[in-house]
Amino acid sequence: MQKRDLIQANASLENLRQNLDMKDFAKEILLEENYNKFIRSYKFTFWFQLIGVLAGFIVPSVVLLVIFKEFIYCAFGATIGIFWMCVWMLLNMVIPPTRIYRKFAKWYRKSDVSIRDLDEIFY
């Protein structure tokens, strides 16, 4: 394993730890109704991004492989996937169910947080 791979793996684990810490913090401070909204938004964001990866990279690669029966065309499928992910991530920014999670994450990462700002996220 190369050093770069270890750095990427460490960054992924750190991101996972931060997300779990944020979810635990949300459970402690939010009312049950708001926490349920937050978790629904979190799950929707996760599945939306996962489906984007599947639809953007795997589906075009497999379709091109089936049509042309050569692995070289899978690279074209990956290229299509890169352009698709750009569009998909922009959609992720404007789709309403993902907003609560993104706004809470931004609020959580700020250094000067107030409950008044938190109320604006959910109402």
Side-chain angles (χ1 to χ4, degrees):
M1 208 178 222
Q2 294 180 350
K3 184 177 181 179
R4 181 187 55 163
D5 294 336
L6 291 173
I7 291 171
Q8 288 175 338
N10 187 34
S12 295
L13 289 173
E14 181 65 22
N15 187 28
L16 176 64
R17 187 191 60 75
Q18 288 174 352
N19 283 339
L20 292 174
D21 288 347
M22 181 174 56
K23 284 172 43 180
D24 290 341
F25 181 72
K27 191 169 192 169
E28 290 175 13
I29 66 163
L30 294 176
L31 299 172
E32 186 175 344
E33 175 187 346
N34 290 343
Y35 179 72
N36 290 336
K37 287 180 187 177
F38 169 75
I39 288 298
R40 277 196 308 270
S41 179
Y42 175 79
K43 288 178 181 178
F44 184 86
T45 303
F46 172 78
W47 286 110
F48 189 78
Q49 291 174 351
L50 183 65
I51 289 169
V53 169
L54 291 174
F57 289 99
I58 295 173
V59 172
S61 296
V62 169
V63 168
L64 289 173
L65 178 64
V66 168
I67 291 172
F68 296 108
K69 296 182 181 26
E70 291 185 29
F71 283 107
I72 190 69
Y73 291 103
C74 288
F76 293 117
T79 305
I80 293 169
I82 291 170
F83 290 116
W84 173 250
M85 286 307 295
C86 294
V87 171
W88 199 256
M89 294 313 285
L90 289 173
L91 283 175
N92 191 23
M93 297 291 203
V94 297
I95 291 189
T98 64
R99 279 195 194 135
I100 291 175
Y101 173 70
R102 286 185 295 105
K103 286 182 178 182
F104 185 85
K106 187 184 291 185
W107 178 85
Y108 177 76
R109 290 183 181 108
K110 283 193 329 189
S111 59
D112 56 336
V113 295
S114 70
I115 299 300
R116 187 174 312 126
D117 296 336
L118 186 60
D119 287 339
E120 293 174 6
I121 293 172
F122 292 97
Y123 301 108

